[in-house]
Amino acid sequence: MTTGTAGAIRAKVRLGDRVFSTSTVVAGSIILATLAAVAIFLIIQSIPAITAPSGTLPNNASNFWVYVWPLVFGTIWAALLALIIATPLSIGIALFISHYAPRRVAQTLGYIIDLLAAVPSVVYGLWGIATLATFVQPFYVWLGTYVGWFPLFAPPVSGTGRTILTASIVLAVMVIPIMTAICREVFLQTPRLHEEAALALGATRWEMVRMAVLPFARSGIISAIMLGMGRALGETLAIAMVLSPAIVVKFAVLQAQSPNTIAANIALQFPESTGISTNALIASGLVLFVVTLLINMLARYIVNRRKAFSGAN
């Protein structure tokens, strides 16, 4: 190979590297610019609601924070309930696919789980109203009768089944695909030598999973949980269709009056809102934006902190 040919190849490689580097910088800058534009819009449109005098906000709230606090509570409470339901199921399904199921069964089950992510949220909402709510209502009555002494299951029980617990079950079904997919990929990346070493020392398959797979995947599991929580915090249609919302703050999950979420409240109220009511809805969207950002920052901190203790090291 002549010197001129080698120089041309190096120049072509360097040109490709420069193009790729420039495109990634531009793409990242566009994302940051878009995020900044959204934040600026929300802040500007929120100022009239945040500074509004008493009695001018929806529900005759004395100030914006009194108005938005029940919505923030309902948003976080519904997302937490959904994660409590979805996290063990997602981890169990991912472990079954990655370490227990035969190859054909694992491929078929993985395809079915991934397919759930393609179902529109309005379909989940219809399923929650038409099927799930009526199916779980007798169980809610049983819980209220025999476990009603526990504050979470305090009566009176809803006669329709359209409670925040039902909405959380729908949310859990919606976030299971993405959480399962992430956990499955992380479990499959466990070093084979770690697994074989545990089995060679006489560990059962579950002991191998507990000693080798789960410690290695801890950061990935946390990331999956936080990503699922972000999905649950922003869900709109399914919650708006299933819930019988009210402006309340309470932990009871079986009663007819359930705390509403920010996203569902915006979807229900925005078409008929005008003036300061529109600004109040946009301001509540700003609060949801900040809450989601804080949760993602917390997740990043936890993942980075636990990375040094990962089984990969």
Side-chain angles (χ1 to χ4, degrees), residues 44-302:
I44 293 175
Q45 294 294 324
S46 300
I47 291 175
I50 295 175
T51 59
S54 177
T56 60
L57 290 169
N59 305 320
N60 293 320
S62 58
N63 57 67
F64 171 73
W65 305 110
V66 173
Y67 164 75
V68 79
W69 160 240
L71 300 175
V72 174
F73 171 82
T75 302
I76 297 176
W77 182 227
L80 286 176
L81 290 174
L83 286 183
I84 292 173
I85 299 170
T87 299
L89 290 176
S90 300
I91 295 175
I93 294 171
L95 280 175
F96 178 75
I97 293 174
S98 61
H99 286 82
Y100 287 89
R103 186 175 183 82
R104 287 188 177 181
V105 176
Q107 290 178 345
T108 303
L109 185 58
Y111 175 76
I112 293 173
I113 295 298
D114 293 339
L115 191 62
L116 288 175
V119 179
S121 59
V122 64
V123 175
Y124 282 111
L126 292 173
W127 169 70
I129 294 175
T131 304
L132 182 63
T134 55
F135 177 77
V136 298
Q137 204 276 331
F139 178 64
Y140 290 173
V141 173
W142 183 88
L143 284 176
T145 302
Y146 296 100
V147 201
W149 51 268
F150 191 64
L152 286 181
F153 307 123
V157 178
S158 169
T160 62
R162 296 176 59 181
T163 68
I164 194 169
L165 182 56
T166 305
S168 299
I169 295 173
V170 174
L171 277 181
V173 175
M174 296 178 69
V175 303
I176 279 176
I178 189 169
M179 293 176 62
T180 300
I182 295 174
C183 291
R184 180 184 63 203
E185 294 303 318
V186 174
F187 294 157
L188 290 173
Q189 292 175 12
T190 305
R192 188 68 179 172
L193 289 177
H194 290 193
E195 299 179 1
E196 293 177 350
L199 294 173
L201 291 173
T204 63
R205 183 174 297 187
W206 163 243
E207 290 172 337
M208 177 271 292
V209 168
R210 183 166 53 86
M211 292 187 297
V213 178
L214 293 181
F216 174 84
R218 186 178 291 117
S219 296
I221 293 173
I222 295 174
S223 300
I225 292 173
M226 292 303 173
L227 190 60
M229 187 168 190
R231 174 74 173 85
L233 287 173
E235 177 52 41
T236 305
L237 273 181
I239 298 295
M241 295 171 68
V242 173
L243 270 184
S244 297
I247 306 300
V248 295
V249 176
K250 60 181 179 182
F251 290 95
V253 297
L254 303 181
Q255 298 179 9
Q257 286 189 331
S258 301
N260 202 359
T261 66
I262 293 177
N265 183 67
I266 293 174
L268 293 173
Q269 302 297 330
F270 195 83
E272 300 177 357
S273 64
T274 57
I276 197 67
S277 298
T278 302
N279 294 113
L281 293 177
I282 296 176
S284 64
L286 175 62
V287 173
L288 179 60
F289 181 85
V290 173
V291 169
T292 305
L293 183 62
L294 291 176
I295 289 175
N296 281 292
M297 292 174 61
L298 176 62
R300 180 72 63 178
Y301 171 76
I302 295 174

